[in-house]
Amino acid sequence: MSTNIMPGASTPVPTLDVLVRQRRFPENTGLRFLGTGVSLFPEGAFRAETVRIVEGCVCLYQPLADGRRQILDVLGPGRLMGPVLADLGRCDVMTLTRTCLKAIDPAREALCITEALQQSLRRSQAHALLLGRKTVTERIATALLDLAWQFSHGSPVRGGVTFSLYLTRADLADWLGLTLATVSRCLSALKRHGLIAYDHPKVVTILNREALEALALGAPAPADGGVPT
Amino acid sequence: MSTNIMPGASTPVPTLDVLVRQRRFPENTGLRFLGTGVSLFPEGAFRAETVRIVEGCVCLYQPLADGRRQILDVLGPGRLMGPVLADLGRCDVMTLTRTCLKAIDPAREALCITEALQQSLRRSQAHALLLGRKTVTERIATALLDLAWQFSHGSPVRGGVTFSLYLTRADLADWLGLTLATVSRCLSALKRHGLIAYDHPKVVTILNREALEALALGAPAPADGGVPT
DNA sequence: CGCATTTTTGATTCTTATCAAGACGAGTGG
DNA sequence: CCACTCGTCTTGATAAGAATCAAAAATGCG
């Protein structure tokens, strides 16, 4: 237990990660296991496949010719990805941690796919609002709440939801239309004000959900000079 | 013809506008006619309806509590709008010009709706890339090409596609994540460099499509000091 | 224990927002 | 037909916010 990847977290999240690592799943269930930083649909292969994320985290992103990229969505367990859910000709999908997938039958699960399509559209439209009109603080607050909701599997303990942040600061920047430095500064500020906590940069605890939600919706951000601490 | 809304345009675009104004359509075709600046789904009514835009232009937008708003999409003839295509609880749809709609039967046109859903998702994701990572010039160039494609009904005459810009500068700003002033400045710059032309601010001609496409994809914008003129 | 990657933080620059004034165009009524 | 008004557009001056550049601290890995 002391070798867990999350030393600072008081709640040892019971993920399937260990199982995935040890390949303890039977081989005939259609599951696929991927490491970190791996393309889901490598080099034209699997491009026609639709998969369900069983465990882990992936991001859908679109690169621009000169190196810029925009992460369009971050997907956790239960979400679907496939040619219908994104333009895989222009986009790519990458794991952000060890991830377990299961291919699904589009014909048999047509309804699920349509629902996923609607969910993706809603999320994309909400994200457009974020990218076009929200301030740095609003973006970070929105993102933290979204990730907490998707990745704090287990009980939403009141007073402190802890989750594993699979994205690097650079990933967050590419998702939220910011830069690495700005993301880091904003997270530091939220931590300084006591809205969130983290010792390890990848394990975040939400301390004041209400305040974060208010920020995400556009409440004035706390001025930095106000609270000394 | 002299009372046409586009005095400066040399090509009198043969729209259905006049027909719409004069209500010359039969009343039993299920068509609805709306003026400018009208909500498609007013006050909870029609919210369950799905419509096809026959003629005109509408925008889907999401307002924020403090007055900010993000236009999520601009839709022209042929496109669909309805509860499946947007979260109408949080969003609103408004006409940007005289518009003619036709309600459709979701059950009978399920396939069309699914296609529209996919198209909307693609557009929303492309827009997220624009909002998150594109420069001002890239955004404007992308928007002009998109609008030209959607609204230059008739022949894509080479050397100069003219289209009616139904959006105001403020609308463009709310669509592209900018401000009115920045949009106006950028359009002026593109005009000054000869990529586009307009006498009336609402009737734009694309003079150099290739250059605009290059800009939209991220080519370096022409420095303002270079060409005197 | 050292090396590579990531994160934090500071100093500076640059882009774009903000503020503001004037020009233009459309619609109204005399 | 013309003055009047309102809304939109253009353009300039200034300021704020975030990017960029850069260096040091922390973390992970072999």
Side-chain angles (χ1 to χ4, degrees), chain B residues 136 177-179 181-182 185 200:
Chain B
V136 171
L178 303 169
T179 60
T182 301
R185 269 185 250 274
H200 187 100

Side-chain angles (χ1 to χ4, degrees), chain B residues 135-186:
Chain B
T135 65
V136 171
T137 311
E138 288 162 12
R139 296 181 198 203
I140 297 285
T142 305
L144 288 174
L145 290 169
D146 183 71
L147 294 174
W149 183 80
Q150 277 203 85
F151 296 103
S152 70
H153 26 157
S155 52
V157 187
R158 80 169 26 260
V161 177
T162 300
F163 62 96
S164 174
L165 185 61
Y166 297 118
L167 297 83
T168 66
R169 302 295 190 257
D171 292 333
L172 281 170
D174 284 341
W175 188 28
L176 304 177
L178 303 169
T179 60
L180 186 162
T182 301
V183 169
S184 182
R185 269 185 250 274
C186 185

Side-chain angles (χ1 to χ4, degrees), chain A:
Chain A
M1 198 64 88
S2 60
T3 62
N4 197 299
I5 54 167
M6 296 182 290
S10 56
T11 54
V13 183
T15 69
L16 296 184
D17 187 64
V18 178
L19 296 175
V20 170
R21 203 178 318 159
Q22 300 175 355
R23 298 282 196 280
R24 280 215 249 138
F25 289 103
E27 290 297 330
N28 53 2
T29 55
L31 295 171
R32 283 220 308 281
F33 306 93
L34 300 173
T36 304
V38 175
S39 173
L40 278 210
F41 307 103
E43 295 305 310
F46 302 113
R47 297 246 159 188
E49 242 183 350
T50 299
V51 299
R52 173 173 285 120
I53 297 162
V54 175
E55 180 65 36
C57 177
V58 308
C59 74
L60 169 71
Y61 67 95
Q62 177 159 1
L64 224 38
D66 56 4
R68 287 175 286 177
R69 68 169 185 158
Q70 177 65 44
I71 292 183
L72 299 171
D73 202 357
V74 177
L75 323 221
R79 307 243 353 244
L80 267 48
M81 182 45 62
V84 172
L85 284 315
D87 182 353
L88 295 180
R90 266 184 276 272
C91 299
D92 208 345
V93 188
M94 195 180 69
T95 58
L96 297 179
T97 186
R98 293 164 183 280
T99 299
C100 172
L101 306 172
K102 179 168 181 143
I104 70 172
D105 178 2
R108 193 175 300 278
E109 307 214 40
L111 187 61
C112 281
I113 291 180
T114 299
E115 280 172 9
L117 197 48
Q118 283 193 46
Q119 184 188 28
S120 289
L121 178 61
R122 299 292 150 91
R123 285 180 62 84
S124 183
Q125 290 178 342
H127 203 60
L129 172 66
L130 178 149
L131 291 169
R133 286 296 179 230
K134 287 193 179 179
T135 66
V136 171
T137 311
E138 288 163 13
R139 296 181 198 203
I140 297 285
T142 305
L144 289 174
L145 290 168
D146 183 71
L147 294 174
W149 182 81
Q150 276 204 86
F151 295 103
S152 70
H153 25 158
S155 53
V157 187
R158 79 171 25 261
V161 177
T162 299
F163 63 96
S164 174
L165 186 61
Y166 297 118
L167 297 83
T168 67
R169 302 296 189 256
D171 292 334
L172 282 170
D174 284 342
W175 189 27
L176 305 177
L178 303 169
T179 60
L180 187 163
T182 301
V183 169
S184 182
R185 269 185 250 273
C186 185
L187 285 173
S188 296
L190 290 176
K191 179 177 166 185
R192 188 168 350 109
H193 287 85
L195 301 202
I196 63 174
Y198 58 92
D199 294 320
H200 186 100
K202 289 297 201 54
V203 182
V204 179
T205 299
I206 292 184
L207 295 178
N208 191 340
R209 173 201 264 266
E210 290 73 21
L212 267 188
E213 282 170 346
L215 278 185
L217 292 176
D224 233 9
V227 183
T229 305

